[in-house]
Amino acid sequence: VPGVSKAAEAGRTILEAARRSRAWDRLADLCDRVGPRLAGSRGYAAAVEWAIAEMTADGLSNVRREPVRVVPWERGAESLIVVEPNGPRPIPVTALGRSVATPAEGITARMVVVPDFAALEKLGEGARGKIVVFNFTMRLAADGGGGYGEAVRYRAGGAIAAAKHGAVAALVRSVTTQRGRSVHTGSMSYEDGVPKIPAAAITIEDSEMLARLQEKSVPVTLFLRLGGRMLPEVLEANVIGELRGRESPDEIVVVGGHLDSWDLACGAHDDGAGVVLSLEAVRLIKQIGLVPRRTIRVVLYANEECGLDGGTAYAESQRATIERHVAALESDSGGFRPTGFGFQGAPAAADRLEALLAAFDGLGPLTLRRGWSGPDIGPLAKLGVPGVGLRNDGTRYFDFHHSPMDTPDKVDRRELDDAVAAYAWMAWLLAEMPEPLARAVPAP
Amino acid sequence: VPGVSKAAEAGRTILEAARRSRAWDRLADLCDRVGPRLAGSRGYAAAVEWAIAEMTADGLSNVRREPVRVVPWERGAESLIVVEPNGPRPIPVTALGRSVATPAEGITARMVVVPDFAALEKLGEGARGKIVVFNFTMRLAADGGGGYGEAVRYRAGGAIAAAKHGAVAALVRSVTTQRGRSVHTGSMSYEDGVPKIPAAAITIEDSEMLARLQEKSVPVTLFLRLGGRMLPEVLEANVIGELRGRESPDEIVVVGGHLDSWDLACGAHDDGAGVVLSLEAVRLIKQIGLVPRRTIRVVLYANEECGLDGGTAYAESQRATIERHVAALESDSGGFRPTGFGFQGAPAAADRLEALLAAFDGLGPLTLRRGWSGPDIGPLAKLGVPGVGLRNDGTRYFDFHHSPMDTPDKVDRRELDDAVAAYAWMAWLLAEMPEPLARAVPAP
């Protein structure tokens, strides 16, 4: 395969430089100085300022913000209390993103626990007037995949299913396998024609406690008060900066992650890691003088978590110049040890990437998973831009994901440096390869 | 050693029965139906009812409550906010037991982080008017011991040391090595003549964040509001029941744990485990017909956590009959795999127990640690009663200790059954041995 030996050589050079990366320190800086940064919040505004300052200090060209329309969701006061037996006993709760509020006086109702959607169906009228608790047990699945995909259906669609059965609210066991008595939030949705009922996450521990009480036929009454709400539309921003290509500066490789985070922590893995990987990749490539053929454009996206608005807005804004986008790279799977890449696009392009990955063994085998890239570059991939997503060891990703635990101490400095190396190498490859990757036919 | 082979045989019989113990189910029942049970709270009253009902169902004799004077501490609303940089950013906080409240409008002040008491001394006037953050890093130490002992000094005495340097409040890194973004409470104290300043625990993660910001010379202003207070004295109760001895019913072996827990969780390891071990030990001994020579008296103590009142009151009430107490056994080190016992008393008695322990290998080697027994039986040991404390593998005990994570899923069913076996065997030994253990000379 042409270019393979040059690619492997660049990989070794980048890996050596990445051993002295500033990725972890920059991640801690974002987390400590800025903190949580949900779109629409003061935190997100501070993150935009932070990113502009960092890109400027790194010497990127054309540093700018591009407007993104966002309808933000804001968390309110929230409270869940076991009224009986032996109440009032407060237990941890957190509203899911986009949930409506309860009435100001809260909801007091009997609960019913179900292990899955099928059990809810079997209940028939048994959920009417009740608070439904979805106690679905997530499987621990390495590399993200299966365990999360199965379990997140209850977070995303639990309120719809419960409302169809006449429930007054939905509580969802947090989508995690980590027993930290911690709530894990995330976005949810409603369906036209189905009543909008409030939805919140509870801890594994409390979900199991409620299930045990039901098992023993102990009547359980809960009090739930949630105050979240949608705010009026505001203009947020994607933050963009460039490393100009040496030969074909009009051809663009987009490299990025999302700048927003959930509000319960500072989003170290999700997606502070993607932000600093993108910044560090470009800084290292520049520093070691590997300035590639094409322009690498860093795009830090707004509001991935509760609307995917930044990725959508970027793709929309580039419709006229979409043919000049030769590839898009994203990191949104945490700051763990890199395991490879995902690819969304033409099979011939995937074959070519796979051959290049096989040539470089400095980080252990890096494999290609077809059919997946990343959330923010999904809209670009739909327009035919080859989409590449960094994959990381996901075994422990959902321990921290969307929870108060997603702090920088959970990111290992050395693993993050390895991720910088894999990511910077891929960014360089995509921007340097003499012939760009074959494009897929755009989705209709 | 006389009695050794009989002791080993009883050990095997008890171990076999303990494999079918109800310990875990009873623990979950206490945790689920009653929940948190800080002395002075509705939860403690429910725990007393629960314990009376359980002892009665187990067929114990002379089931009763004995009054204990308690001056309870009650948690109030609590809030800690990073005002700058980029505030307001709320971070988790929990008041330490017995802490005074802040003024109702809260305290807003600069912070200073110190790694230990020595660094505070070096600050001189540098802590005056500030909120002192004690960022002492606990070592992970198996079997409880060193790691906790070193670190808990900051929780117990941090407010005194900080106040002596003119600080307005003390924040203490939670006494744990578990990075669950969780606060771990516990009791603290004040010193006569030193101003009483509010004291609270913060998470490891936030303590490290504040230390990093200080390291970078970023000014940090915090807002702290705590509403805890001491309540007027109330009468709580120890709960007591007996298995009458077959030959010398007036000779008593006390077996127990503390019925109260902190308020952040249901106290599964601390000390729900000790409660159910005490109940199950007696139930199993009775069930398999090993009814011993002397009376085994189960004592479930009130308010260990914030005053040690139950243990003190029990010893006081027994001063006249103290000679009839041949031994006291306690479990207050969680529900983990048993590793042996502690012993507080005469060296000759320790030698004798050590020989008996060596004879039984059904649970792996059970060793004796001299000079320690348990908090609630400490007052009895001071009066010369031989004190024996169950020891458990403590490697992960402080992951959960005094935190919202201390829930029954953290207790392994099989490990708890092994603890039941070790504990029941020791209770039986102490109540059965022909000659009681030699007594120590009472402390003056």
Side-chain angles (χ1 to χ4, degrees), chain B residues 19 27 107 127 236 268 361 425:
Chain B
R19 294 271 185 264
L27 176 62
I107 292 172
E236 290 287 17
D361 64 358
W425 181 56

Side-chain angles (χ1 to χ4, degrees), chain B residues 155-179:
Chain B
R155 191 193 80 204
I160 298 168
K164 283 180 178 168
H165 287 78
V168 294
L171 297 176
V172 180
R173 176 179 167 131
S174 286
V175 181
T176 186
T177 61
Q178 168 73 0
R179 294 175 173 275

Side-chain angles (χ1 to χ4, degrees), chain B residues 184-395:
Chain B
H184 295 241
T185 190
S187 66
M188 53 81 69
S189 57
Y190 291 113
E191 197 174 285
D192 285 347
V194 178
K196 294 183 176 186
I197 62 173
I202 60 175
T203 72
I204 292 184
E205 290 88 340
D206 293 306
S207 191
E208 291 182 349
M209 175 187 75
L210 296 174
R212 283 192 301 265
L213 287 169
Q214 175 169 293
E215 184 78 19
K216 288 198 243 188
S217 305
V218 176
V220 176
T221 302
L222 300 176
F223 167 84
L224 176 68
R225 185 156 50 195
L226 301 177
R229 59 180 179 147
M230 303 302 300
L231 298 175
E233 184 180 283
V234 292
L235 276 188
E236 290 287 17
N238 291 336
V239 180
I240 300 180
E242 291 166 1
L243 176 64
R244 294 273 291 173
R246 65 168 198 276
E247 271 187 35
S248 312
D250 288 347
E251 292 182 8
I252 292 157
V253 172
V254 167
V255 172
H258 63 84
L259 188 55
D260 65 307
S261 79
W262 277 105
D263 55 339
L264 303 181
C266 56
H269 277 293
D270 186 14
D271 186 23
V275 168
V276 301
L277 289 187
S278 301
L279 294 173
E280 277 293 283
V282 171
R283 194 184 65 80
L284 287 179
I285 287 169
K286 208 176 149 201
Q287 176 190 293
I288 60 189
L290 275 177
V291 178
R293 201 178 303 276
R294 302 180 190 87
T295 290
I296 297 179
R297 177 181 290 171
V298 177
V299 184
L300 304 179
Y301 303 94
N303 200 28
E304 187 272 342
E305 292 295 3
C306 212
L308 212 67
D309 297 313
T312 307
Y314 180 78
E316 277 306 312
S317 76
Q318 301 294 321
R319 271 187 180 274
T321 57
I322 200 72
E323 295 300 326
R324 286 170 23 206
H325 282 68
V326 302
L329 176 61
E330 178 165 6
S331 166
D332 187 21
S333 302
F336 299 96
R337 174 180 69 80
T339 59
F341 295 88
F343 184 73
Q344 213 172 351
D351 294 344
R352 198 167 154 210
L353 273 186
E354 210 157 42
L356 288 167
L357 289 184
F360 174 51
D361 64 358
L363 293 164
L366 296 174
T367 61
L368 198 76
R369 187 204 287 174
R370 294 171 193 233
W372 171 88
S373 60
D376 296 295
I377 60 175
L380 289 174
K382 275 195 188 153
L383 297 174
V385 178
V388 184
L390 180 65
R391 283 164 48 227
N392 312 74
D393 178 5
T395 314

